Amino acid sequence: MSAARRLQEKVPPSARTLVFRWSEPDNPLPVRVIQPTSPPRAAAPLAAAPPWWPSGPEGAPFDFCGHVRRLCADVAARCAALAHVDVSRLLFGVTQARSACPHGLQARVTPLRFPNGRLTRQRRGVTYQVQRYFLGSHEFLYQVTFCLPRFLDASFDEKLITLFHELYHISPVFDGDLRRYQGRYALHSHSQRDYDEQMTDLARAYLASKPDPGLHAFLRLNFGQFLGRHGSVVGVVVPRPKLIPLSGPVNGVAADGMLTLT
């Protein structure tokens, strides 16, 4: 039996799938309820969400991905530095935080193409293809994932800046690849501090443009307030895209995923 055949038998079918396709209404994107990372104290009721910060109908599950998608569309429309971002080609999702620690992953953007928008690349004699994600006939070019409840428990400023941070990683030509700089630090420029300051400036400029407060009001609430108002927080949960070997010599399991930025 060839090495490639043995590899295929070891890898689960979901990890060998080249195309993931969902459709409405028969096979919608999978949605899950986000669990608290620590049980609420019996003697401490959940904090009430201020009524002047709307987040949708009380008692109905809070659709995190729907809210963040609408906010990102407004950001792209108002921010010249992000005007190239087509939010309809972004697959927004969530991942469950494993601990209540405030530090760690807040969000990440995963490209669904290689540099210059290529679908395949060769590495050490093996041709790889990135898994492709479709909703009906509509193909996504990026996966943007938020770690909940951790992201929701950050401050308003931290959440908004994180959102800009992830969107700015998207290539200016919007070809499914990431924004790249010259030199050694190709993805965050030569200075992480300068990059963070630039994102802060973009976030402040967005707020100064006086967007509809209802679009970003949900960023002012924490996870406990969402539970108190809505009962639950839900979001799209799909697997992280993997690189699938198509041909060439195989010495082990396929690469575990695309380059991901946080």
Side-chain angles (χ1 to χ4, degrees):
M1 184 183 298
S2 68
R5 179 68 177 275
R6 289 195 300 270
L7 171 65
Q8 292 299 317
E9 291 188 351
K10 292 179 181 179
V11 180
S14 62
R16 297 197 300 265
T17 302
L18 289 176
V19 175
F20 284 90
R21 192 182 299 273
W22 297 272
S23 62
E24 301 287 356
D26 298 330
N27 181 33
L29 288 164
V31 173
R32 294 184 184 175
V33 175
I34 298 301
Q35 301 299 321
T37 48
S38 59
R41 298 176 183 175
L46 296 173
W52 52 88
W53 292 337
S55 58
E58 185 173 349
F62 176 73
D63 175 13
F64 175 84
C65 294
H67 279 77
V68 79
R69 182 186 303 109
R70 288 187 287 272
L71 174 57
C72 287
D74 192 62
V75 165
R78 291 175 176 272
C79 179
L82 297 174
H84 60 284
V85 175
D86 179 358
V87 173
S88 72
R89 306 296 296 276
L90 308 185
L91 175 53
F92 291 97
V94 300
T95 185
Q96 173 73 52
R98 296 183 179 181
S99 74
C101 177
H103 307 294
L105 176 69
Q106 297 286 338
R108 62 176 180 244
V109 57
T110 304
L112 299 177
R113 291 291 187 275
F114 296 113
N116 301 315
R118 295 192 302 270
L119 189 59
T120 63
R121 76 174 182 186
Q122 284 198 336
R123 184 178 182 183
R124 298 178 181 176
V126 180
T127 299
Y128 291 96
Q129 177 180 313
V130 61
Q131 291 175 317
R132 303 171 70 180
Y133 291 174
F134 288 81
L135 183 61
S137 61
H138 185 81
E139 184 171 11
F140 297 104
L141 291 180
Y142 299 88
Q143 184 185 45
V144 186
T145 307
F146 295 83
C147 187
L148 306 185
R150 182 181 295 131
F151 173 80
L152 289 175
D153 284 336
S155 70
F156 171 80
D157 288 346
E158 290 171 331
K159 282 181 273 197
L160 188 61
I161 292 170
T162 294
L163 187 147
F164 274 86
H165 184 118
E166 303 309 324
L167 293 180
Y168 199 78
H169 278 310
I170 293 173
S171 168
V173 296
F174 201 75
D175 59 358
D177 188 29
L178 299 172
R179 182 187 298 268
R180 298 178 185 274
Y181 298 89
Q182 296 295 324
R184 178 180 178 184
Y185 303 99
L187 298 172
H188 280 101
S189 76
H190 68 285
S191 171
Q192 179 72 55
R193 177 179 295 180
D194 289 350
Y195 186 94
D196 292 342
E197 289 179 353
Q198 183 181 8
M199 297 307 104
T200 301
D201 291 342
L202 290 177
R204 289 173 176 169
Y206 170 72
L207 293 177
S209 72
K210 300 187 182 304
D212 178 0
L215 289 172
H216 56 76
F218 75 98
L219 294 182
R220 298 188 181 275
L221 305 180
N222 59 40
F223 187 69
Q225 290 172 321
F226 282 114
L227 293 184
R229 176 181 287 177
H230 297 279
S232 64
V233 175
V234 299
V236 172
V237 177
V238 297
R240 293 179 66 181
K242 293 180 171 57
L243 307 184
I244 307 302
L246 301 180
S247 65
V250 178
N251 296 316
V253 177
D256 62 359
M258 291 291 290
L259 175 63
T260 296
L261 287 182
T262 60

